[in-house]
Amino acid sequence: NSFVTRTNTCGELRSAHVGQKVTLYGWVQYQRQGLFLVLRDFQGLTQIMIPQDEAHSHVKELLSNAPVESVVRVTGIVSPRPLGQENPKMPTGHIEVKAETAEILNSCKKLPFEIKDFIKKSEALRMQYRYLDLRSFQLQSNLRLRSRMVMRMREYLCNLHGFVDVETPTLFKRTPGGAKEFLVPSREAGKFYSLPQSPQQFKQLLMVGGLDRYFQVARCYRDEGSRPDRQPEFTQIDIEMSFVDQAGIQRLIEGLLQYSWPEERALITTPFPSITYEEALAEYGTDKPDTRFGMKIMDISDVLKGSDIHFVQSALSYPHGSIKAICIPQGVRYLTNKDLESLKESAKSQFNQEIMEIIRRPDGSLKSLLTKFLGEKEQSELIQALNMQEDDVVLLAAGEHKQVCSALGTLRLFSANLLEAAGLALRDPTTFHFLWVVDFPLFLPKAENPTELESPHHPFTAPHPSDVSLLYSDPTKVRSQHYDLVLNGNEVGGGSIRIHSAEQQRFVLEKVLKEDSEVLSHLIEALEFGAPPHGGIALGLDRLISLIVDAPSIRDVIAFPKSFRGRDLMGNAPDYVTPEELEPYHIQVSWPLEEKDAKKN
């Protein structure tokens, strides 16, 4: 209550304050029949008793007629609630304030929606009136938790470990590869700035500059449509260190998260487990596994290789052919035939992958189209290999290793959703399973042209020390020194040890990726002036906080987010500008015909 004219907040009064004269400021949450109202501020609620005597008739009239969500000042005496009228669910539920004077500071007009967490509102309406939505308990709680975590992160990095908080430019130039960047016109004809998708180049240049340890709560930009876990503008905890290896970065981040972790959430233990990219794909079908539940992908090629099943033998005849399966616990009990059909249809439509189901009956026998091709011994081996229990359902896929794993990985998550919807608790939202994924490929074939290579992350990642020679002979086999941090099946951070040799960086850009290295000439030249070995990481702050508070979207942990299409519905941005405003930037807008007609009308 420092610097302000209130004596207390609406959430702090207790029985110990009885008899004290207090002044409270807040919003009218609720008013009942001119007898009492509930006053709300950022910290909580207090019940205000409206005086009924003639001497305070003006106070009664004022408070009885105050519209919900009006801002009022109330001065009165803290009193104990009458016996039997206490509310143990409210922290202030044992007291009330008997109003003596009051003032309506600002009356509220009719609301577009009720400001209560349990009232359902469309997201578009919430974002149009974001300043009202921010009054809700949940958004207040989310933003305050975010603030506390960021402050603790600053303490850990700057005060305890000597990091330097440096602000890097948001107006820069285009970076080759990666996500699309927003362009910003300049007054020089034909020349544009770019908004950086991350401070990647600047933080590397800070290491060349000898700062040793850099940190920033960085605003970043991607010219992409919004998704539940992505926005065109977002925030990351950006970190870079000199003279560090992968293990050093991992220990730093584990310590950072443990130090800043909210006390009210389940404890996290370190060190976090680690898995290679290849292991993650083989066991979970994805590079961001949710390890809160089992249902791992299992390879049963050895069990079925001796069978006469045509599609099995056909799959195993290919170089990377395999037979894999996932076992859905209690699938018969929790999944309908329609559910099983939707799982198979999903694999077919997304991956062109056929799925075969196997059910273990209560008597222990198997029900499947496969059983007529399998003897008792093979069926027994299959049950043992998959650890099938009664009423379990197995989904089996045959084909190329990567495709089969990806399909089963998607079905694993789809099945988990169906099981939970049917009442089987699989993934506890209050537990937090962190996982490091390491040894990613340094290069992958381009989707549009598989004969060309691209960087899965960015072109500054160093090759694995054991694979450096392959960089020059067979770059497709090179592992990278990239590492991702995964939380409950979501990527919340990614980083790498960087290339610090100008010669190697130039080779990667020009010979492997076929990029014009001139765009990055400033960085390559910097590496020639005694650049130290260095590495770093960026944590996606929005996504991390949304997982901690179990929010359905990162928009619920950002004060003023963009819509699904990247629009600001409150301020109606982006918006049109006049030709006169565009003139200094040497830009003319070429309108599609239908938009031309719409603007005329």
Side-chain angles (χ1 to χ4, degrees):
N1 300 303
S2 49
F3 315 116
V4 293
T5 52
R6 66 176 175 237
T7 60
N8 300 87
T9 66
C10 293
E12 68 175 292
L13 294 177
R14 302 290 187 271
S15 297
H17 296 93
V18 168
Q20 292 183 17
K21 188 172 186 176
V22 296
T23 298
L24 307 179
Y25 288 79
W27 285 262
V28 176
Q29 169 101 347
Y30 173 75
Q31 192 266 120
R32 184 175 180 185
Q33 297 175 348
L35 298 174
F36 69 86
L37 61 80
V38 175
L39 199 62
R40 184 195 74 243
D41 68 6
F42 72 94
Q43 201 177 47
L45 308 168
T46 296
Q47 182 167 291
I48 309 294
M49 295 306 294
I50 300 173
Q52 303 298 311
D53 58 304
E54 190 62 34
H56 293 92
S57 58
H58 63 290
V59 176
K60 179 181 179 180
E61 185 182 355
L62 192 109
L63 293 180
S64 299
N65 296 320
V68 169
E69 290 303 311
S70 295
V71 184
V72 302
R73 175 190 59 76
V74 174
T75 297
I77 304 295
V78 182
S79 305
R81 290 200 190 186
L83 201 62
Q85 293 184 23
E86 300 93 342
N87 184 351
K89 294 180 181 177
M90 280 175 69
T92 61
H94 287 85
I95 61 92
E96 58 194 16
V97 173
K98 293 187 174 176
E100 293 183 343
T101 64
E103 180 185 0
I104 295 182
L105 302 173
N106 207 327
S107 186
C108 180
K109 70 176 187 177
K110 188 174 178 357
L111 292 163
F113 54 80
E114 282 192 74
I115 301 171
K116 292 174 183 170
D117 287 309
F118 60 85
I119 300 287
K120 290 198 172 178
K121 308 156 286 251
S122 75
E123 190 170 52
L125 193 63
R126 288 176 58 202
M127 294 181 73
Q128 183 182 349
Y129 296 96
R130 188 61 169 185
Y131 44 85
L132 293 179
D133 199 32
L134 285 169
R135 294 182 190 174
S136 72
F137 170 80
Q138 194 58 61
L139 277 186
Q140 288 266 329
S141 174
N142 292 351
L143 292 176
R144 291 176 192 283
L145 181 141
R146 177 181 176 133
S147 172
R148 289 194 301 274
M149 273 199 78
V150 170
M151 181 55 70
R152 294 281 287 170
M153 287 178 172
R154 286 186 190 278
E155 285 176 12
Y156 183 83
L157 292 168
C158 298
N159 297 352
L160 299 184
H161 294 288
F163 279 77
V164 185
D165 186 349
V166 180
E167 296 163 11
T168 54
T170 51
L171 291 176
F172 194 45
K173 63 188 291 188
R174 189 186 70 83
T175 305
K180 287 183 179 177
E181 295 174 332
F182 285 101
L183 295 177
V184 180
S186 76
R187 290 174 183 267
E188 293 184 58
K191 291 189 175 182
F192 292 80
Y193 296 104
S194 274
L195 299 181
Q197 53 191 291
S198 84
Q200 183 59 47
Q201 294 181 54
F202 292 112
K203 63 182 185 176
Q204 290 193 239
L205 292 167
L206 287 169
M207 296 305 102
V208 179
L211 257 77
D212 193 67
R213 296 182 171 202
Y214 145 89
F215 145 77
Q216 182 183 185
V217 181
R219 297 294 284 164
C220 305
Y221 308 88
R222 285 196 186 111
D223 189 7
E224 299 174 346
S226 206
R227 299 201 306 255
D229 62 347
R230 186 163 287 182
Q231 286 262 296
E233 52 184 346
F234 56 98
T235 306
Q236 63 188 35
I237 304 296
D238 204 47
I239 290 169
E240 198 80 5
M241 297 172 75
S242 295
F243 311 111
V244 71
D245 60 10
Q246 182 170 305
I249 295 286
Q250 289 174 336
R251 285 197 305 272
L252 169 78
I253 295 304
E254 289 166 359
L256 172 71
L257 288 169
Q258 214 167 27
Y259 185 86
S260 60
W261 199 253
E263 291 177 2
E264 62 270 30
R265 294 298 186 271
L267 290 175
I268 55 173
T269 54
T270 58
F272 301 152
S274 182
I275 191 173
T276 68
Y277 168 81
E278 291 296 341
E279 289 169 339
L281 191 66
E283 294 180 14
Y284 299 97
T286 176
D287 59 4
K288 40 181 184 287
D290 189 341
T291 55
R292 287 175 296 172
F293 69 108
M295 288 171 55
K296 288 185 183 180
I297 298 168
M298 289 173 278
D299 194 320
I300 52 172
S301 303
D302 289 344
V303 178
L304 297 179
K305 66 183 178 184
S307 71
D308 295 328
I309 305 169
H310 175 71
F311 78 86
V312 167
Q313 296 305 326
S314 174
L316 293 176
S317 67
Y318 291 103
H320 299 288
S322 64
I323 316 298
K324 295 180 182 288
I326 58 170
C327 183
I328 304 173
Q330 301 294 292
V332 172
R333 189 177 302 174
Y334 288 98
L335 300 183
T336 64
N337 288 333
K338 186 180 177 183
D339 290 335
L340 292 173
E341 286 306 314
S342 68
L343 286 166
K344 290 192 274 190
E345 179 55 39
S346 174
K348 181 69 176 171
S349 61
Q350 289 186 58
F351 301 96
N352 195 28
Q353 178 67 54
E354 295 290 345
I355 297 293
M356 184 80 68
E357 69 191 70
I358 308 171
I359 292 170
R360 189 172 188 196
R361 297 188 180 103
D363 64 3
S365 64
L366 297 182
K367 177 189 173 185
S368 173
L369 295 174
L370 286 180
T371 50
K372 61 183 177 183
F373 301 104
L374 301 173
E376 280 188 28
K377 181 173 178 290
E378 288 170 314
Q379 288 189 37
S380 177
E381 286 177 354
L382 192 62
I383 289 169
Q384 196 172 350
L386 294 167
N387 192 24
M388 285 185 78
Q389 308 298 315
E390 290 175 14
D391 288 339
D392 284 357
V393 174
V394 163
L395 301 180
L396 181 148
E400 191 273 327
H401 168 76
K402 194 170 261 187
Q403 177 181 308
V404 165
C405 289
S406 297
L408 288 176
T410 299
L411 296 190
R412 175 179 177 266
L413 295 174
F414 193 174
S415 302
N417 292 340
L418 292 171
L419 290 172
E420 289 184 333
L424 180 65
L426 266 188
R427 297 167 291 192
D428 185 350
T430 66
T431 62
F432 300 95
H433 284 224
F434 282 98
L435 178 73
W436 289 109
V437 181
V438 300
D439 291 354
F440 284 81
L442 187 58
F443 307 108
L444 288 174
K446 286 183 178 178
E448 65 276 14
N449 185 358
T451 60
E452 294 181 7
L453 296 177
E454 63 183 356
S455 298
H457 299 100
H458 56 63
F460 313 117
T461 301
H464 193 286
S466 306
D467 296 352
V468 172
S469 59
L470 289 170
L471 181 64
Y472 305 97
S473 58
D474 193 353
T476 58
K477 292 183 178 173
V478 180
R479 292 168 297 164
S480 70
Q481 290 194 70
H482 180 92
Y483 31 84
D484 273 353
L485 183 61
V486 176
L487 172 58
N488 295 355
N490 297 268
E491 182 194 330
V492 292
S496 66
I497 302 302
R498 323 298 186 190
I499 296 171
H500 66 278
S501 154
E503 182 186 351
Q504 191 178 84
Q505 185 66 80
R506 194 176 283 111
F507 178 84
V508 165
L509 288 166
E510 295 177 355
K511 305 299 183 187
V512 181
L513 300 176
K514 313 296 185 197
E515 294 273 9
D516 179 10
S517 65
E518 191 58 35
V519 181
L520 293 166
S521 59
H522 56 283
L523 178 62
I524 294 172
E525 185 179 18
L527 297 180
E528 294 175 324
F529 286 105
H534 58 283
I537 192 167
L539 298 178
L541 183 64
D542 308 310
R543 197 176 304 175
L544 176 64
I545 301 295
S546 71
L547 291 169
I548 291 172
V549 301
D550 194 27
S553 160
I554 62 170
R555 292 188 282 277
D556 291 315
V557 299
I558 299 171
F560 297 100
K562 299 290 185 286
S563 73
F564 189 74
R565 296 182 180 276
R567 293 188 58 82
D568 180 339
L569 300 181
M570 183 181 66
N572 196 30
D575 203 357
Y576 297 108
V577 295
T578 64
E580 292 76 26
E581 289 171 299
L582 287 174
E583 194 174 338
Y585 303 106
H586 313 281
I587 292 174
Q588 284 184 315
V589 176
S590 176
W591 295 100
L593 283 174
E594 61 272 19
E595 287 198 33
K596 261 186 186 174
D597 294 340
K599 282 182 76 65
K600 279 179 188 174
N601 297 332

